[in-house]
Amino acid sequence: MGSVQIVTTILAAAITAVAVGLAVRAVMKLVAVIRLGQPAPERFADKGTRTKKMLVETAGHTRMLKWGVVGAAHWFVMVAFIVLSLLVLEAYFEVVTPGGGLPIIGHWTVFGLATEIIGVLGLVGILVLMAIRLRNRPTRPGGRSRFTGSTMWQGYFVEWVVLLVLIFGFLIRGFKVATDQFEYPLWATPVSHALGGALPTWADGVSVAALVKIVISMTWLIVISLNVTMGVAWHRFLAFPNIFFKREPEKAAGSGLGALRPMMSDGKPLDFEEADPEKDQFGVAQVEQFTWKGLLDFSTCTECGRCQSQCPAWNTGKPLSPKLLVLSLRDHAYAKAPYLLAGGGKDLTGEEKATEEQLANVDVLALAEADRPLIGTAAEGGIIDPDVLWSCTTCGACVEQCPVDIEHVDHIVDMRRYQVLIESSFPSEAGVMLRNLENKGNPWGAPQNTREDWTKGLDFEVPRVGEVEDFEYLFWVGCAGAFEDRAKKTTRAVATLLNEAGVTFAILGEGETCTGDPARRIGNEFVFQMLAQQNVETLNEAFEGREKSKRKIVATCPHCFNTLGNEYGQLGGEFEVVHHTQLLAHLVATGKLTPVQPVAGGLTYHDPCYLGRHNRVFTPPREVLSSAIAGEITEMPRNSERSFCCGAGGARMWMEEKIGKRINVDRVEEAMSTGAKTIAVGCPFCSTMLSDGVNGKGAGEQVEVVDVASVLLRSVKPETTAGDKETEPVAG
């Protein structure tokens, strides 16, 4: 060992000791903060499925690859980080002796070949990612970036570290080649040999380059250890458990889509009949009232901004960014942590749990952070502004796009639950909707005895449950389908088509009430439970004696479809629920419905969030439309899982849109840009919002918004639907 090797060995050992010590402390802090969250025992079930899903999503990069080039580049960088960590380990042998290497595998040609390929692809990948970050920097001219609000220096720092580690890895190999100490042949490591041919024959070059590589790597570890909220770095480790513990690992898409997580207290679903606000948790009022998985979510955020780039609120100038919401909660949790870890915190009555002695040595900044309200305006020192909380449409675009499976919608609704149920704080106009649900069983406050008015004028009888001995489908009409004029046309079209196809069905009529979707998503779990339990009892009675496979429901509203199929199971209601577009697609495919006259004029299809993104129903509506129109569907730029929300979800249908551009107008402009004369929808909320947007643009005479069922009916029975236009003028 020469003098250079003595120095490089000592320096490598010293910086490594510091880095490892700080890393251990940082990991302990991360674990301690995450453990502050509430129990979530269900996250430990079905470990086999969870393990498989985690390996598929990470090794296969199934979510990142949706983004094409950036996904592929990230995969190469991820593989380089994991595999080439062995070369960082090898550097410790090389600082000791220039000819050193990993024991056993260090001399295998296949190892040299694999690391050469991965090193080159990693270099290309990180350069691509750096270019993408620079091209999308928040300060660039024109438009907001998905990186707006991200801590940019951290991203640049991580990328430069990766680049330099890869470069110095090749320099080490080059110096080995130049000094004739390289163990791999030219054919396996051509880049290393080419570099070696250009480098001087410096005997100590290997040890010096190895030291620099170690210093760069350990500096990275020191920096991230001193910044435990540095998600752009820590996600490399936290993504694995975060994906493993996702809510529903069997789902192909985001596990936070579809059903909402039930309202929980101490790890158990809340029973409203026995619940006590002084003993049971009603939603989330403090950051430590999120589950430990919620705190893990916040810690894992990569600040990539994919959620932000897809969010309809953010894209229309509203203050909600799913990324910034998560980052605010993360930073607050870690700033408040010293107070909580000392025993501090408020009980459910608002009383301090810690003694003065426990809090005596807590940093004053942590105490100040503890006094901030979770929901509040800037003047109140709030972590999340009320306008941020109430801008969410629960469309799920954020959950769909998140590469590490953060469950944004569940967290937003949990905060809404406390605001509604305990604070009675929510947009005033939504109060009318909630009162109507409680008193009338529908959000519009329409008389219950008019639920069957849509059947008037049909040339066939619509049977009621109890009036017929048997039926194949229970037709769930929904509140919009029963009371809203435009939606009634869809209801009549579906009933007519089912009758034409010979499908036996029955309705509940006045026995039906709102599924409770708007109540649940605004945060009023109590009203949801009340309505849902009533409906489950009614449906179980209607299907009495039938096995689940024969308890079939067809619904025209995706919100009803989602609630009946995904959420009523939480209350003992197990049904086979299909959307009307799925059933109609089946009837067309089996020849029970035959389009005879193609609908002309050009058509584009808008994917409803709760049909498409939340429930993965993309193909059936398109199959129905393709069978009924002349020509092909003209797709909007944002379609399928990236469809842009109409603005009505999350109970926004009953709240005024006062900030920024109207979401429905943004979507209508996109639809009209296709040149299509017909905008087909599969949801009554979408129909209302897009119709209002079309009329607001003064295009009601040129562009029509119409349900998929009505398009099909016009093709199947053109003689009975002539002049039946669904887009209505806006009432003055």
Side-chain angles (χ1 to χ4, degrees), residues 310-356:
Q310 302 294 300
C311 177
W314 178 260
N315 276 284
T316 53
K318 295 166 182 62
L320 169 63
S321 156
K323 177 186 72 177
L324 298 181
L325 178 139
V326 166
L327 297 187
S328 296
L329 292 171
R330 178 198 68 189
D331 293 345
H332 172 58
Y334 282 88
K336 187 178 179 180
Y339 159 77
L340 296 171
L341 292 171
K346 302 290 195 299
D347 63 20
L348 294 172
T349 64
E351 295 297 318
E352 176 59 59
K353 293 187 288 187
T355 63
E356 289 186 13

Side-chain angles (χ1 to χ4, degrees), residues 81 126 130 154-168 212-221 223-224 230 236:
F81 176 79
I126 196 62
M130 292 173 81
Q154 295 180 353
Y156 294 137
F157 171 75
V158 168
E159 288 167 347
W160 272 101
V161 164
V162 172
L163 178 64
L164 291 173
V165 166
L166 289 168
I167 288 173
F168 274 88
V212 175
K213 183 175 181 178
I214 290 170
V215 169
I216 293 170
S217 300
M218 292 304 106
T219 299
W220 175 80
L221 189 56
V223 170
I224 74 167
M230 194 170 173
R236 297 180 178 203

Side-chain angles (χ1 to χ4, degrees), residues 36-53:
L36 288 169
Q38 300 303 303
E42 73 280 1
R43 304 284 181 167
F44 294 93
D46 203 359
K47 293 183 177 62
T49 301
R50 293 180 180 280
T51 302
K52 179 180 177 182
K53 178 62 70 173

Side-chain angles (χ1 to χ4, degrees), residues 454 458 475 481 484-498 556 579-582 584-585 588 593-600 603-605 620-621 624-629 678-684 687 691 704-728:
W454 65 269
L458 292 174
F475 182 14
E484 206 273 329
D485 288 339
R486 282 170 286 208
K488 283 184 189 179
K489 294 179 181 179
T490 301
T491 307
R492 291 165 64 88
V494 172
T496 302
L497 289 166
L498 295 182
T556 57
H579 188 252
H580 71 283
T581 58
Q582 293 175 296
L584 295 178
V588 170
L593 288 174
T594 305
V596 294
Q597 181 175 310
V599 177
L603 178 145
T604 190
Y605 173 64
V624 174
L625 293 170
S626 294
S627 73
I629 65 172
T678 300
I679 305 172
V681 297
C683 171
S687 177
S691 293
E704 181 184 11
V705 179
V706 61
D707 190 87
V708 171
S710 294
V711 174
L712 179 61
L713 183 60
R714 291 176 187 180
S715 182
V716 171
K717 301 183 70 175
E719 72 285 351
T720 63
T721 55
D724 181 21
K725 194 170 183 181
E726 290 199 5
T727 304
E728 303 288 348

